[in-house]
Amino acid sequence: MKKIKERVSKWNKTRKLQHSLRASIAASRSLLQMGSYASAVCVETEAGPFLVDPADQKIGRNLLHFGKLNQLEIDLLSRFSSLAQPSLLVVGAHIGSVALPVAKLFDRVTLVEANPKTAGLLRRNVALREL
């Protein structure tokens, strides 16, 4: 029975990886169809536009398909804005889809993103909001 569970688990992981790879290839093809100079897609959300990488399988995919931000995280961050001289530090800011909607509530905001491509999108999203 244990071996069957291990095989099923391995099979499920393989299927997830295959699905993720197919979705990533499809997203890359979509971006290539836009032209060789396209690097992002603009998505309209309730917090304004966000530039996203269509090959992003998590946040970008959610924004592309649903246009919804993570409201729970945004609400949590906004609670801290009531502190005296509130500052916000987000390590792993991604494209800013959580931090940027609440940025104006804080006196000082520092966003850190290690992935160079994602950091470029973050900078552009900050510029879109004139922050």
Side-chain angles (χ1 to χ4, degrees):
M1 187 65 150
K2 184 178 179 182
K3 286 190 177 201
I4 292 172
K5 285 183 181 181
E6 288 175 1
R7 282 188 182 179
V8 168
S9 176
K10 186 176 180 180
W11 182 75
N12 282 335
K13 287 178 185 176
T14 303
R15 283 192 60 209
K16 285 180 183 178
L17 286 172
Q18 289 172 341
H19 175 73
S20 179
L21 180 60
R22 277 193 296 265
S24 189
I25 290 169
S28 296
R29 283 184 185 148
S30 295
L31 192 57
L32 286 174
Q33 289 175 348
M34 290 179 217
S36 59
Y37 294 98
S39 62
V41 175
C42 186
V43 177
E44 292 296 328
T45 71
E46 61 266 16
F50 278 93
L51 293 173
V52 301
D53 179 355
D56 178 354
Q57 293 298 301
K58 299 288 182 186
I59 296 168
R61 184 175 183 195
N62 187 52
L63 288 172
L64 283 166
H65 290 282
F66 306 108
K68 300 282 184 193
L69 301 172
N70 189 332
Q71 198 59 47
L72 290 173
E73 289 182 12
I74 292 169
D75 291 344
L76 178 67
L77 281 180
S78 63
R79 286 189 215 163
F80 293 105
S81 67
S82 61
L83 300 172
Q85 299 178 336
S87 294
L88 176 63
L89 168 64
V90 180
V91 178
H94 199 254
I95 62 168
S97 60
V98 173
L100 294 179
V102 297
K104 290 187 177 182
L105 301 174
F106 292 86
D107 291 347
R108 182 182 166 117
V109 177
T110 304
L111 305 174
V112 179
E113 176 52 51
N115 181 309
K117 185 174 183 179
T118 307
L121 291 173
L122 175 62
R123 282 191 293 278
R124 291 184 195 109
N125 285 327
V126 168
L128 277 173
R129 284 156 183 76
E130 298 176 349
L131 297 173

